[in-house]
Amino acid sequence: MTLPPLPAGIPATGADRARLRECFLFSGLTDKEAEKAEALADAHVYRYAAGENVTVAGCVFPFFGLLLSGGLCVNRAGEPRRVILNLLRPGDTFGVASLFGGEGGFPTTVTASADSSVLLLRQENVERLLAEIPEAARAYIGFLSDRIRFLNRRIDSFAGRTAEEKVAAFLLRTEGSKARLPVSRQALASVLGLGRASLYRALGSMEEKGLIRVSRNQIEILNAEKLKKLIL
């Protein structure tokens, strides 16, 4: 299955390249190495409208992606409806594990949940970068190792958990004290493996307990310590 046509891309600006330097791939690089890595990356920026697919499960997607703005929804086809696996926020990456994978194409469908800007690096450029800058290769391997540990923790956090415990685990994975929701509450319920009514009850109960504050598209953590106690 071939990759859907890419929208017109433009070379990354100075601000875009600065965001790329904040990515794990540049972690631990000297200024000289970072400049070389930036040149080898030859990053381009692509813009996607809300609802537009960045890639589709099963297609060949030879790119490393970094979300610059907007939001992305990672899902796979499921019966009787799609199953949402993750919600990406600006600064999140995708395609890291599948870039050097085997057969089967990209494992998931990635869709823009809002108008989004995505920075993409072609596989051949990433290969050159990793071959010529050993510290970047170590950072790449380190990221994949951390990802495996994260997925194991995520499985543990969802297995046998109550609705409130699942919400707490999700919130504690977010950066900072506020979780902005790039998709509907229904989509969030799917991510957490909950029914919509169960999610609403959990949010209401946690708000009554003073753990969180819920607004239209945002959940604010009011007491992180008590949230942590829910999942210990």
Side-chain angles (χ1 to χ4, degrees):
M1 187 173 179
T2 59
L3 175 70
L6 286 173
I10 59 173
T13 65
D16 298 329
R17 292 194 298 273
R19 294 287 300 279
L20 178 60
R21 286 201 182 200
E22 296 173 359
C23 169
F24 74 86
L25 194 56
F26 284 70
S27 175
L29 301 188
T30 65
D31 289 342
K32 185 175 182 180
E33 287 173 331
E35 289 178 6
K36 181 178 181 181
E38 190 178 294
L40 290 169
D42 188 27
H44 281 64
V45 176
Y46 300 82
R47 304 193 189 283
Y48 294 87
E52 189 174 0
N53 288 331
V54 178
T55 184
V56 177
C59 79
V60 176
F61 186 74
F63 295 96
F64 170 103
L66 170 67
L67 178 60
L68 297 175
S69 66
L72 299 177
C73 181
V74 181
N75 59 80
R76 64 178 174 82
E79 295 295 341
R81 55 188 175 84
R82 69 174 184 169
V83 177
I84 298 174
L85 302 176
N86 202 5
L87 306 173
L88 303 185
R89 297 179 292 275
D92 288 342
T93 57
F94 61 97
V96 181
S98 60
L99 195 61
F100 301 104
E103 299 178 359
F106 205 77
T108 57
T109 294
V110 180
T111 305
S113 55
D115 292 348
S116 303
S117 295
V118 178
L119 184 148
L120 296 179
L121 310 182
R122 291 188 175 274
Q123 180 173 343
E124 58 265 30
N125 293 338
V126 176
E127 289 176 348
R128 277 199 300 270
L129 193 162
L130 298 181
E132 297 188 26
I133 306 176
E135 189 60 37
R138 281 191 285 272
Y140 203 97
I141 294 170
F143 178 88
L144 291 176
S145 298
D146 288 342
R147 187 68 182 170
I148 291 171
R149 285 192 286 268
F150 163 78
L151 291 173
N152 285 335
R153 288 196 302 270
R154 184 172 186 182
I155 291 170
D156 180 65
S157 70
F158 286 157
R161 298 282 188 177
T162 66
E164 288 189 23
E165 289 169 345
K166 290 181 178 182
V167 172
F170 170 80
L171 292 175
L172 290 170
R173 290 198 308 272
T174 65
E175 296 182 2
S177 63
K178 296 180 180 180
R180 294 187 180 277
L181 306 180
V183 294
S184 66
R185 303 276 176 87
Q186 182 175 353
L188 178 60
S190 178
V191 171
L192 299 179
L194 296 172
R196 189 166 47 179
S198 295
L199 173 64
Y200 289 166
R201 282 195 299 269
L203 291 175
S205 174
M206 295 168 76
E207 192 167 27
E208 288 178 3
K209 294 174 183 176
L211 302 178
I212 60 175
R213 180 184 294 121
V214 182
S215 61
R216 184 170 177 272
N217 65 343
Q218 183 173 281
I219 301 173
E220 181 179 0
I221 297 173
L222 299 179
N223 194 320
E225 289 305 313
K226 286 188 177 181
L227 276 184
K228 291 175 184 177
K229 290 179 181 178
L230 280 179
I231 60 176
L232 291 178

